[in-house]
Amino acid sequence: MSLRMLVSGILAFVISLPSLANDGNSDAWKALREGNAVLMMRHALAPGTGDPANFKLGDCSTQRNLNETGREQARSWKPFLAEHGITEARVFSSQWCRCMDTATELNMGEVTGWAPLNSFFQSRGDGPDQTRETIEGVNELPPGAPVIMVSHQVNTTALTGIYPSSNEGVIIALPLSDSPEVLARVSPGR
């Protein structure tokens, strides 16, 4: 290989570096950084569906929980968010252990358990009220660091119409409404 080819190859790589972090959602990330959007994500991988019959909110041994892959997925958000200029956030979470653990593993700031983000998979009739509480609560938040909400598939789908995979998030424009504008679907490794 000639020196000229080597230099050309290195130059091409260096020129492409900015585009490696650009996932085509730069406007969505900017809105999130600037407080004009929120990130709502489904908890990381917790094998199974729903919750056991003996489910108790305060007892993780009665719940479906993250496995080690799920914990690794949750931890992968911190560098992913940092690539997009977000190094701290206000983190709100469903009180289910798999969501609280996902939110904690994000390591983006203090985690606040928030009942409107709790799953209504077993009690679908609660969905409209919880979705309304989520919309109102988010819209009442004062300006500050970006907002990340960790919740469940049913909650995210009820609000956005999107069926997220485990560990997938949606960036939603503010103010939230009954039919909010989804700016992007995001997840580490996408």
Side-chain angles (χ1 to χ4, degrees):
M1 175 185 301
S2 73
L3 180 59
R4 184 178 184 157
M5 288 177 59
L6 179 62
V7 170
S8 294
I10 291 172
L11 184 58
F13 174 74
V14 169
I15 290 170
S16 72
L17 282 178
S19 68
L20 293 177
N22 182 0
D23 55 12
N25 296 318
S26 60
D27 290 343
W29 289 110
K30 181 178 183 213
L32 182 60
R33 281 191 308 274
E34 294 178 353
N36 297 316
V38 295
L39 171 62
M40 183 174 196
M41 59 181 285
R42 182 178 179 187
H43 60 77
L45 185 63
T49 304
D51 284 294
N54 65 337
F55 171 87
K56 289 186 183 123
L57 187 57
D59 184 351
C60 294
S61 70
T62 67
Q63 300 181 33
R64 188 164 56 92
N65 294 295
L66 300 183
N67 62 10
E68 189 51 41
T69 299
R71 290 185 181 285
E72 290 171 15
Q73 286 177 339
R75 287 189 291 266
S76 70
W77 278 93
K78 186 169 181 79
F80 179 65
L81 290 165
E83 286 175 20
H84 296 286
I86 299 167
T87 56
E88 65 177 337
R90 292 177 284 173
V91 183
F92 298 90
S93 177
S94 159
Q95 296 166 316
W96 267 233
C97 294
R98 59 186 170 270
C99 291
M100 291 296 287
D101 289 346
T102 298
T104 300
E105 295 285 350
L106 293 174
N107 194 25
M108 293 300 294
E110 183 179 336
V111 177
T112 302
W114 194 29
L117 296 175
N118 290 351
S119 176
F120 49 82
F121 182 78
Q122 303 290 35
S123 53
R124 302 286 173 132
D126 294 340
D129 288 340
Q130 282 183 235
T131 302
R132 171 68 34 218
E133 286 180 59
T134 299
I135 291 169
E136 291 171 358
V138 167
N139 289 341
E140 292 171 1
L141 288 172
V147 172
I148 298 173
M149 298 183 293
V150 181
S151 193
H152 305 266
Q153 172 271 310
V154 292
N155 301 67
T156 305
T157 301
L159 179 61
T160 67
I162 291 175
Y163 190 105
S165 300
S166 292
N167 208 48
E168 181 180 17
V170 290
I171 299 175
I172 312 165
L174 291 174
L176 295 185
S177 68
D178 290 333
S179 54
E181 179 185 1
V182 174
L183 303 175
R185 292 177 76 162
V186 298
S187 68
R190 258 189 143 184

